[in-house]
Amino acid sequence: MRVLQSTYWLEPAGSHGVWGLDDYHFLPFLFGSAQLIGHKYIRPKSIHDAELVEEYSKYYMYLACIKFINSIKTASLRWHSPMLDDISGVKTWDKVNSGMIKMYQAEVLGKLPVIQHFLFGSILPYLGIPAPSPRTEEEDAHWGHAHAHAPAGASPVDRAAMGWGDCCGIPVPSAFAAAAEEAEKKKSGPGLLVGQGIRPVPFD
């Protein structure tokens, strides 16, 4: 993902809040914090140590994410990534990871506009309201009935008398037929006023 972002200069689509901790990602931080649980020396506050981040970013995903942020943003971490700065104040990676899992569940998995694009399966099952079962043709209210249409070549008067037909009481015009009728009206009947100095008023 970083290759694509840096090669094509991809801009994040606005601020996504907690589920885009570096404007793009959340999961690398979640997985990276799990990787560091129980580490003897590296603490959450270690992300502010540039030399440590540089040295260990090859081995730890969380530090690799911090290194990438530092490489594309010039100001201090507390200015451009205040949430990551706040997280660095937590004492253990265990608490960081458990907090991120709760955050991910609430802000990603719990938000329909985000989760509607997920592909659910055996690894990530969907446990919400079951989807409605597809209706059979016989159960469909529109199945088995026809609608009247004016025959081809009918005059505008006959077509107007017959109408466009309807589906369950709702008029359903044909876009092509409606356009043809409008063209016919312009030819035969009074339409828009025409003449010198008369211009159509723009519609805003």
Side-chain angles (χ1 to χ4, degrees):
M1 290 305 298
R2 292 193 193 110
V3 173
L4 291 175
Q5 290 157 14
S6 55
T7 302
Y8 298 103
W9 296 5
L10 298 181
E11 292 280 339
S15 176
H16 296 300
V18 295
W19 55 279
L21 290 176
D22 66 347
D23 294 339
Y24 293 101
H25 305 116
F26 187 101
L27 285 178
F29 292 96
L30 193 155
F31 297 146
S33 62
Q35 187 183 17
L36 285 163
I37 290 175
H39 197 284
K40 291 181 180 179
Y41 309 111
I42 300 175
R43 300 283 181 262
K45 65 181 180 181
S46 300
I47 64 172
H48 298 290
D49 186 336
E51 290 182 8
L52 188 145
V53 169
E54 180 69 30
E55 184 175 350
Y56 288 98
S57 60
K58 299 185 288 288
Y59 310 108
Y60 297 103
M61 194 181 301
Y62 196 97
L63 299 181
C65 291
I66 298 297
K67 179 186 175 183
F68 181 70
I69 295 171
N70 290 337
S71 70
I72 60 173
K73 296 187 178 182
T74 56
S76 167
L77 195 70
R78 65 176 47 91
W79 288 105
H80 54 66
S81 304
M83 187 166 293
L84 287 173
D85 183 63
D86 291 343
I87 291 169
S88 71
V90 179
K91 293 190 181 295
T92 65
W93 288 112
D94 199 356
K95 287 187 177 180
V96 170
N97 184 252
S98 61
M100 285 194 171
I101 291 173
K102 289 176 185 174
M103 197 185 301
Y104 192 74
Q105 288 174 339
E107 300 296 335
V108 179
L109 301 179
K111 297 292 172 69
L112 178 62
V114 182
I115 204 66
Q116 66 184 345
H117 304 292
F118 272 50
L119 182 62
F120 293 97
S122 59
I123 296 175
L124 185 65
Y126 175 71
L127 304 174
I129 301 170
S133 58
R135 293 181 300 182
T136 62
E137 292 175 339
E138 289 76 11
E139 293 174 325
D140 191 344
H142 303 277
W143 172 255
H145 64 274
H147 302 289
H149 298 284
S155 70
V157 175
D158 293 337
R159 191 179 294 120
M162 189 165 196
W164 298 109
D166 64 74
C167 182
C168 305
I170 304 171
V172 183
S174 160
F176 296 104
E181 184 177 2
E182 287 299 318
E184 189 73 26
K185 284 181 183 176
K186 288 179 182 177
K187 287 181 187 175
S188 59
L192 297 175
L193 294 175
V194 293
Q196 189 173 359
I198 297 176
R199 294 181 302 149
V201 178
F203 179 76
D204 290 335

